[in-house]
Amino acid sequence: MKLVKLLANLGYGSRKQVAWMFREGRVTDAAGDVLYADDQVGHDDVRVDGEPLDPPQGLALMLHKPAGYTCSTKDTGRLVYDLLPPRFRLRAPVLSTVGRLDRETSGLLLFTDDGQLLHRIISPKAALPKVYEAMLAQPLRGDEATLFASGTLMLESETTPLKPAALEVIDETHARLTLTEGRYHQVRRMFAATGNHVVALHRSRVGGLALDGLAEGDWRALDAADLAALMDAG
Ligand code: URA
């Protein structure tokens, strides 16, 4: 791929803007020699203003999403993309969230520009477990674990019952819920079906991947070991 296209795809600017960067001599190889728009050089050998390029296509990352950020590229208010480098919003192929978390939900949110990976993660066949910690307005009734595990709970306006989900009671207003599907507002609606209300919701794990000390608002790229852990539903 010609360098002008590579850089434009990575969000460094429009083709026109990137072409200017070449004219200004801002794009070099690792040794500092100026590169040109039509050159075809390996991603790792390119520098812009002396800096290595952003990760190539095939990027997957996790963000520790704080509450109050929307999973959208163009909503009003604070967006999860505001927490990533600004160029990441301009990449082609697009870097999209893998599923969504509600604005007021915090925790592990995945992004990728790899369509196949995205489908593998959200595929019902993969049934990757997703672990949520819920703070509740009311004390638990005591029958929630049995109800959620039953595979018979039908949420309002749905036509099929929820798959069995595992509930671990932490204390009377705090529970850990493991889902293997992802319906709209699922955790909030499950507790609403028991007459309760979720006051705070946090996702701590997807598949075998956990936040593992990643601070709120921070992100990091996933490597092959992370991806293997992610897809390990065990
Ligand atoms: N379930 C919810 O209700 N909200 C989320 O953000 C994720 C799962």
Side-chain angles (χ1 to χ4, degrees):
M1 187 188 301
K2 289 183 179 171
L3 280 179
V4 66
K5 184 167 164 58
L6 177 71
L7 265 62
N9 285 354
L10 291 176
Y12 283 83
S14 64
R15 288 253 195 153
K16 217 168 158 182
Q17 288 165 332
V18 170
W20 266 109
M21 294 168 65
F22 285 96
R23 276 182 219 130
E24 289 168 349
R26 294 172 57 195
V27 187
T28 62
D29 64 14
D33 291 329
V34 169
L35 293 170
Y36 296 93
D38 287 347
D39 286 345
Q40 302 199 27
V41 177
H43 176 281
D44 291 351
D45 295 325
V46 184
R47 303 286 180 271
V48 173
D49 300 329
E51 298 292 325
L53 293 185
D54 289 346
Q57 184 181 343
L59 174 62
L61 63 88
M62 70 171 168
L63 169 73
H64 184 161
K65 176 189 177 297
Y69 286 76
T70 306
C71 292
S72 159
T73 47
K74 47 175 187 287
D75 217 25
T76 52
R78 289 176 293 180
L79 308 178
V80 288
Y81 287 91
D82 298 342
L83 298 164
L84 302 178
R87 276 199 295 270
F88 282 16
R89 207 186 305 207
L90 306 172
R91 289 169 66 108
V94 66
L95 183 69
S96 56
T97 63
V98 179
R100 288 169 170 230
L101 291 175
D102 299 339
R103 184 158 59 98
E104 293 314 324
T105 302
S106 61
L108 200 169
L109 179 66
L110 296 164
F111 293 74
T112 188
D113 62 4
D114 179 339
Q116 285 186 350
L117 175 65
L118 188 145
H119 286 295
R120 276 200 288 134
I121 300 170
I122 63 174
S123 153
K125 267 198 225 139
L128 285 189
K130 289 165 280 264
V131 181
Y132 294 90
E133 323 279 331
M135 289 290 303
L136 303 162
Q138 311 290 335
L140 289 154
R141 294 192 311 210
D143 63 343
E144 291 89 346
T146 311
L147 177 65
F148 293 168
S150 69
T152 62
L153 178 59
M154 189 79 101
L155 294 178
E156 233 177 85
S157 72
E158 300 262 344
T159 53
T160 53
L162 296 181
K163 286 191 184 160
L167 184 82
E168 189 188 328
V169 176
I170 294 166
D171 62 40
E172 60 173 11
T173 56
H174 183 195
R176 181 172 298 130
L177 183 59
T178 304
L179 307 182
T180 55
E181 55 185 342
R183 303 201 198 180
Y184 182 65
H185 292 333
Q186 183 168 341
V187 176
R188 295 175 200 276
R189 290 164 74 211
M190 287 172 77
F191 283 105
T194 70
N196 213 326
H197 176 70
V198 172
V199 291
L201 187 59
H202 177 83
R203 183 159 70 187
S204 54
R205 178 175 286 272
V206 177
L209 191 67
L211 283 167
D212 265 342
L214 186 67
E216 197 172 61
D218 282 357
W219 66 276
R220 71 172 177 80
L222 302 183
D223 62 18
D226 294 318
L227 291 174
L230 169 67
M231 299 310 295
D232 177 11

